[in-house]
Amino acid sequence: MGKIIAIANQKGGVGKTTTSVNLAASLGVLEKKVLLIDADPQANATSGLGIEVENVDRGTYQLLEHTITAQEAIIPTNSPNLQLIPAHIDLVAIEIELVDKEERESMLKKAIVNLKPNYDYILIDCAPSLGLLTLNALTAADSVIIPIQCEYFALEGLGKLLNTIKSVQKIHNPDLDIEGLLLTMYDSRLRLSNQVVEEVKKHFDEMVFETIIQRNVRLSEAPSYGESIISYDAASKGANNYLSLAMELIEKNA
């Protein structure tokens, strides 16, 4: 039975999409069956896997509207063992459209619950906000990975996110776990990076992944070629980091 993991942080630019795409690709390379759901209207996970966003006419938006089944929304990718439910900019409208609906927080959960037996992992790339889209992802998920960049305001907003997770646990999804905090954009030369790592580990200890994602030029280049870091440059530091994260995740869930 597959595990559904949301990758969430309401702060932008912390490496959510980079993590979603590259963790999904790494799990696929390690022979796990993976589905990535792009639940961010910016659709960067979709374009980052080489899919033309303008051509997406069946994706997360239609799925949340319940006008198509999850099966109809799934498309293949060039990455081994990785399939995608793509996003399109029209996803922006869904928050307004769902406002009056009953059980609006559970639309995604209902749409994908039957997919669990087909995959080892279903990853959801969340929007950088705590709106209805992220709420849907957290309600549907078994656990959440929180990327935190090793920069000055790293812990700012984390309290808010943890409170949101608590209220989701209380009201919508009592089984939601925190899979782990993932430190991203780490630069060993910067004292600040090292201080953030220390601080996060001091506060959250066991919750922090061993793997730390380092700053890596190849990692930031890959999406512009529509490739994961694994297919763009398998020998890069970024590829090694994400493969190591994938192995840590597999071990944790063994």
Side-chain angles (χ1 to χ4, degrees):
M1 193 67 151
K3 184 168 197 181
I4 302 177
I5 303 175
I7 296 165
N9 189 333
Q10 78 275 24
K11 282 185 72 160
V14 297
K16 262 192 312 291
T17 300
T18 304
T19 295
S20 303
V21 168
N22 294 310
L23 176 57
S26 300
L27 287 164
V29 166
L30 295 170
E31 300 189 341
K32 298 294 174 189
K33 285 194 71 181
V34 187
L35 174 67
L36 176 58
I37 299 173
D38 192 347
D40 181 352
Q42 293 172 50
N44 290 342
T46 301
S47 61
L49 283 168
I51 310 297
E52 290 286 340
V53 174
E54 296 73 43
N55 300 338
V56 170
D57 54 3
R58 294 170 158 211
T60 317
Y61 177 72
Q62 289 78 11
L63 190 62
L64 286 164
E65 276 194 320
H66 289 200
T67 53
I68 60 171
T69 65
Q71 216 59 56
E72 291 171 310
I74 294 169
I75 58 172
T77 72
N78 293 328
S79 214
N81 300 314
L82 173 58
Q83 293 180 312
L84 174 74
I85 293 183
H88 183 279
I89 187 67
D90 59 11
L91 192 53
V92 167
I94 202 74
E95 305 221 338
I96 300 157
E97 290 173 26
L98 290 181
V99 159
D100 305 330
K101 297 270 198 301
E102 274 191 28
E103 296 189 359
R104 54 181 184 264
E105 302 85 2
S106 306
M107 292 298 186
L108 186 60
K109 184 178 187 159
K110 287 178 187 158
I112 65 172
V113 71
N114 296 335
L115 294 178
K116 277 179 99 169
N118 308 347
Y119 297 94
D120 296 304
Y121 293 96
I122 297 175
L123 303 184
I124 308 172
D125 184 28
C126 295
S129 75
L130 292 178
L132 203 46
L133 272 172
T134 300
L135 199 53
N136 260 277
L138 294 174
T139 303
D142 298 307
S143 66
V144 54
I145 290 175
I146 304 170
I148 298 173
Q149 84 282 42
C150 296
E151 282 164 14
Y152 186 63
F153 290 116
L155 297 176
E156 197 186 59
L158 188 58
K160 211 183 216 172
L161 177 61
L162 293 173
N163 285 338
T164 300
I165 289 169
K166 272 201 192 94
S167 61
V168 170
Q169 286 166 329
K170 212 181 293 174
I171 305 165
H172 307 295
N173 184 0
D175 301 325
L176 182 66
D177 271 333
I178 293 178
E179 191 71 44
L181 305 182
L182 175 68
L183 290 157
T184 63
M185 304 182 191
Y186 173 74
D187 186 338
S188 56
R189 297 165 304 185
L190 299 180
R191 200 165 90 220
L192 180 64
S193 268
N194 293 306
Q195 284 170 342
V196 171
V197 170
E198 271 172 45
E199 200 173 329
V200 172
K201 286 192 167 169
K202 188 176 79 191
H203 284 291
F204 299 102
D205 191 30
E206 294 294 295
M207 285 162 68
V208 186
F209 281 105
E210 287 289 318
T211 305
I212 294 178
I213 309 298
Q214 294 165 301
R215 270 197 185 283
N216 179 244
V217 175
R218 309 295 277 168
L219 206 47
S220 36
E221 287 173 357
S224 58
Y225 293 90
E227 291 184 41
S228 75
I229 189 64
I230 306 298
S231 53
Y232 181 63
D233 185 354
S236 66
K237 205 184 281 179
N240 286 333
N241 287 168
Y242 278 109
L243 279 166
S244 153
L245 177 65
M247 287 189 253
E248 193 177 336
L249 186 67
I250 291 166
E251 221 164 277
K252 206 174 171 186
N253 289 288

